[in-house]
């Protein structure tokens, strides 16, 4: 469907569309095009389980605060539910439903034996002490109880959560297990610190996967990455790793934006040095006197590659006309809404869609889970080469589906995922 038709159909209202509505829009578009079985279509349009917990936590000064935590399990036909945990004021059931659904598609595209889930707590961790964040994490884990588990539902890091938070989650979960079961449960969570059972390469996995898909795109387009310029939105786990790894190809980072502001430098910004600065100061603002720029200037900046790696709904009717790049490599989940997509398509800007581009995280989470189950510890080279193989295979499948269906890449990625899901539902049938 062409951009104008989408815009008139969805209208200005679409700007306010919920994230889950965006997912449903993308899903229906792909399901129509591939003629997904109408019964299976009903199943995949809904989540399987939605858990909301309200739990009290004692603050440092002794007063009690109540928190709302979520875990949505979208689908488990391929294996245990899998997906990150997000700590952010925007977390609500709608956002977590959308993120859980995308996890199902990611597992399906990359051929890993996981279903889709996502969770989070609605709060701003920057407003709490280290000890409060620990107690909030532990109490949330306790409240979830058996709704997570190493063979059932496996959390991982996402926005504002990291290896330390996974270690607290692991410790709390194991502490509630009978002693003789504890040692076989370390794969209840992935993205753990290495010493607590994490995998080499998990920290950089999402960024590494993004760069592997950009390499494939460059090959397909006869594009020389060593001469490329790029901009990155979000300089946390995903954005900073993608940026550092792309820099090692010789590509030049010309602008970065995060929650603290945006900076630009036509001569290039050293991603490694910037990562050290952000670790110290908490954001990119004020880095080395680089030129501070507005959000609008950042989004309009000319570059070859744009990597959104922050939050959702950044590329919309308002901002898609601004972009001055050849390709958008989606590190974040849902950075482009359907209207933004239509505008990018009209303007000939390629998109490597989130469910393919950022799937390196869940792929290496699967490797971590396997290593824990088998009591193995893989070398980094092994992790990286297995990741490259899996994500490249997924990239090729999406590229082939885009040709076969004459579809944009997001729709093609959905078709790859839905084709696999449709096949397995047809094989297994519906109980009873
Ligand atoms: P993070 O918390 O490590 O970093 C988030 C970054 O986004 C920070 O630099 C923050 O300052 C910035 N940010 C937040 N709000 C912003 C705004 N309004 N404008 C500009 N910048 C803003 O989170 P992360 O793990 O890097 O996740 C980033 C994105 O990647 C999310 O969409 C997440 O769902 C997705 N993702 C993460 C993983 C993973 O393994 N961590 C895997 C797949 C996808």
């Amino acid at each position: 469907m062409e951009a104008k038709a989408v815009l008139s159909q969805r209208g200005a209202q679409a700007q306010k569309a919920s994230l889950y509505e965006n997912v449903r829009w993308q899903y229906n578009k792909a399901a129509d095009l591939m003629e997904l079985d109408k019964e299976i279509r009903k199943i995949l349009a809904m989540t399987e389980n939605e858990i909301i917990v309200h739990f009290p936590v004692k603050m440092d000064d002794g007063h009690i605060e109540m928190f709302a935590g979520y875990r949505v399990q979208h689908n488990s036909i391929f294996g245990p539910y899998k997906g990150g945990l997000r700590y952010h004021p925007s977390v609500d059931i709608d956002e977590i439903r959308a993120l859980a659904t995308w996890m199902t598609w990611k597992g399906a595209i990359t051929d890993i034996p996981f279903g889709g889930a996502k969770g989070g707590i609605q709060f701003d961790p920057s407003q709490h002490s280290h000890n409060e964040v620990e107690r909030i994490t532990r109490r949330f884990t306790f409240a979830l109880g058996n709704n997570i588990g190493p063979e059932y539902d496996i959390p991982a890091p996402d926005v504002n959560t990291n290896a330390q938070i996974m270690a607290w989650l692991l410790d709390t979960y194991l502490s509630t297990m009978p002693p003789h079961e504890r040692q076989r449960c370390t794969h209840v969570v992935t993205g753990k610190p290495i010493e607590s059972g994490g995998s080499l390469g998990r920290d950089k996995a999402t960024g590494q996967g993004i760069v592997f898909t950009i390499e494939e795109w460059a090959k397909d387009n006869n594009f020389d990455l060593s001469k490329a310029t790029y901009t990155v939105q979000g300089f946390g786990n995903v954005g900073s790793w993608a940026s550092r790894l792309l820099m090692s190809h010789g590509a030049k980072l010309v602008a970065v934006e995060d929650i603290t502001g945006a900076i630009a430098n036509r001569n290039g910004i050293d991603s490694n040095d910037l990562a050290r600065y952000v670790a110290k100061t908490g954001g990119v603002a004020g880095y080395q006197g680089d030129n501070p720029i507005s959000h609008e200037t950042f989004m309009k900046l000319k570059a070859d590659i744009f990597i959104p790696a922050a939050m959702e709904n950044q590329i919309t009717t308002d901002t898609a006309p601004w972009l001055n790049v050849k390709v958008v490599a989606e590190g974040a989940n849902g950075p482009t809404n359907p209207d933004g997509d239509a505008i990018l398509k009209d303007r000939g800007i390629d998109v490597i869609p989130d469910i393919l581009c950022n799937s390196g995280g869940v792929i290496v989470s699967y490797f971590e889970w396997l290593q824990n189950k088998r009591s193995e510890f893989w070398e980094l080279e092994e992790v990286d080469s297995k990741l490259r193989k899996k994500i490249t295979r997924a990239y090729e499948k999406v590229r082939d589906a885009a040709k076969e269906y004459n579809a944009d890449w997001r729709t093609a990625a959905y078709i790859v995922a839905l084709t696999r899901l449709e096949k397995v539902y047809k094989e297994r049938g519906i109980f009873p």
Side-chain angles (χ1 to χ4, degrees):
M1 192 180 298
E2 290 313 309
K4 284 190 192 83
V6 175
L7 289 172
S8 61
Q9 201 171 327
R10 288 167 53 82
Q13 276 291 319
Q15 279 301 298
K16 294 193 199 101
S18 77
L19 202 59
Y20 192 50
E21 256 179 66
N22 290 351
V23 178
R24 290 166 85 101
W25 169 265
Q26 295 165 350
Y27 172 68
N28 285 327
K29 186 177 175 193
D32 284 346
L33 186 58
M34 70 178 281
E35 295 175 2
L36 177 65
D37 179 284
K38 70 178 191 338
E39 306 301 335
I40 295 167
R41 186 168 172 153
K42 288 182 209 162
I43 299 170
L44 293 171
M46 300 196 73
T47 60
E48 286 177 1
N49 307 308
E50 301 186 345
I51 302 133
I52 304 180
V53 289
H54 294 107
F55 55 95
V57 180
K58 200 183 281 177
M59 298 293 108
D60 291 343
D61 66 3
H63 85 276
I64 302 290
E65 273 184 32
M66 290 299 293
F67 291 85
Y70 302 84
R71 189 72 183 168
V72 172
Q73 297 161 337
H74 173 256
N75 189 277
S76 59
I77 192 97
F78 290 134
Y81 301 108
K82 181 86 191 86
L85 277 188
R86 175 176 288 198
Y87 290 176
H88 199 275
S90 74
V91 164
D92 62 14
I93 193 71
D94 178 273
E95 181 180 272
I96 300 298
R97 266 183 201 141
L99 293 162
T101 310
W102 280 320
M103 289 307 297
T104 301
W105 313 148
K106 275 185 225 184
I109 291 176
T110 53
D111 280 332
I112 54 178
F114 284 148
K118 202 83 176 192
I121 308 177
Q122 188 185 69
F123 84 115
D124 179 355
S126 71
Q127 300 305 308
H128 292 269
S129 70
H130 186 79
N131 288 341
E132 286 178 351
V133 174
E134 175 177 355
R135 285 198 296 277
I136 293 164
T137 302
R138 287 184 181 277
R139 186 64 203 232
F140 176 50
T141 309
F142 182 76
L144 285 176
N146 285 339
N147 289 301
I148 57 169
E151 305 291 335
Y152 181 65
D153 184 354
I154 306 134
D158 191 73
V159 174
N160 291 329
T161 57
N162 55 24
Q164 173 61 77
I165 285 169
M166 298 306 115
W168 290 329
L169 203 153
L170 171 74
D171 187 68
T172 308
Y173 183 82
L174 295 186
S175 301
T176 62
M177 290 279 106
H180 60 278
E181 285 185 23
R182 287 181 193 151
Q183 297 317 321
R184 57 179 186 80
C185 288
T186 49
H187 51 307
V188 64
V189 54
T190 58
K192 299 180 287 288
I194 305 298
E195 306 74 21
S196 296
S199 173
L200 290 174
R202 174 59 185 90
D203 201 24
K204 67 168 179 141
T206 308
Q208 182 69 76
I210 293 168
V211 173
F212 284 153
T213 62
I214 293 174
E215 285 175 22
E216 292 307 308
W217 174 87
K219 267 190 236 158
D220 282 349
N221 290 279
N222 269 331
F223 180 81
D224 182 358
L225 274 184
S226 72
K227 298 198 173 68
T229 52
Y230 62 103
T231 59
V232 178
Q233 185 188 48
F235 208 72
N237 173 282
V238 176
S240 74
W241 274 113
S243 193
R244 281 181 271 176
L245 293 163
L246 201 53
M247 191 176 86
S248 65
H249 280 279
K252 205 195 288 175
L253 173 68
V254 291
V256 197
E257 179 183 57
D258 74 0
I259 195 76
T260 64
I263 55 168
N265 188 338
R266 284 313 310 175
N267 299 320
I269 299 167
D270 180 338
S271 300
N272 289 315
D273 195 49
L274 180 61
R276 283 189 289 273
Y277 175 83
V278 170
K280 249 190 273 157
T281 65
V284 303
Y287 174 68
Q288 277 201 359
D290 277 348
N291 194 12
I293 53 172
S294 68
H295 174 63
E296 184 172 339
T297 309
F298 170 80
M299 295 296 281
K300 285 180 171 169
L301 216 92
K302 185 172 165 38
D304 298 310
I305 304 163
F306 174 41
I307 305 175
M311 301 300 285
E312 45 269 6
N313 285 336
Q314 296 300 306
I315 303 172
T316 61
T317 313
D318 294 334
T319 57
W322 292 347
L323 292 190
N324 193 358
V325 297
K326 294 187 172 70
V327 61
V328 175
E330 293 185 334
N333 285 306
T336 312
N337 77 3
D339 296 327
D341 251 339
I343 294 168
L344 294 186
K345 184 159 189 268
D346 245 18
R347 298 186 57 220
I349 296 175
D350 288 349
V351 175
I352 309 176
D354 49 7
I355 52 175
L356 166 65
C357 192
N358 71 31
S359 63
V362 72
I363 293 172
V364 178
S365 274
Y366 166 52
F367 297 160
E368 179 176 331
W369 184 77
L370 273 184
Q371 290 170 71
N372 292 160
K373 269 168 83 91
R374 299 174 180 169
S375 299
E376 289 179 0
F377 191 72
W378 302 355
E379 297 299 331
L380 181 60
E381 294 71 34
E382 186 177 355
V383 172
D384 280 351
S385 82
K386 285 189 156 115
L387 167 60
R388 182 193 281 278
K389 209 165 167 187
K390 269 220 168 290
I391 206 162
T392 303
R393 181 76 199 101
Y395 178 98
E396 289 164 353
K397 281 193 286 183
V398 172
R399 182 183 56 202
D400 294 349
K403 272 196 204 122
E404 186 185 338
Y405 288 90
N406 190 22
D408 61 87
W409 277 50
R410 189 181 319 283
T411 306
Y414 267 69
I415 289 175
V416 171
L418 296 177
T419 302
R420 187 167 167 234
L421 283 153
E422 182 178 48
K423 198 155 182 276
V424 73
Y425 268 106
K426 283 196 169 155
E427 284 163 4
R428 283 175 54 167
I430 301 300
F431 174 82

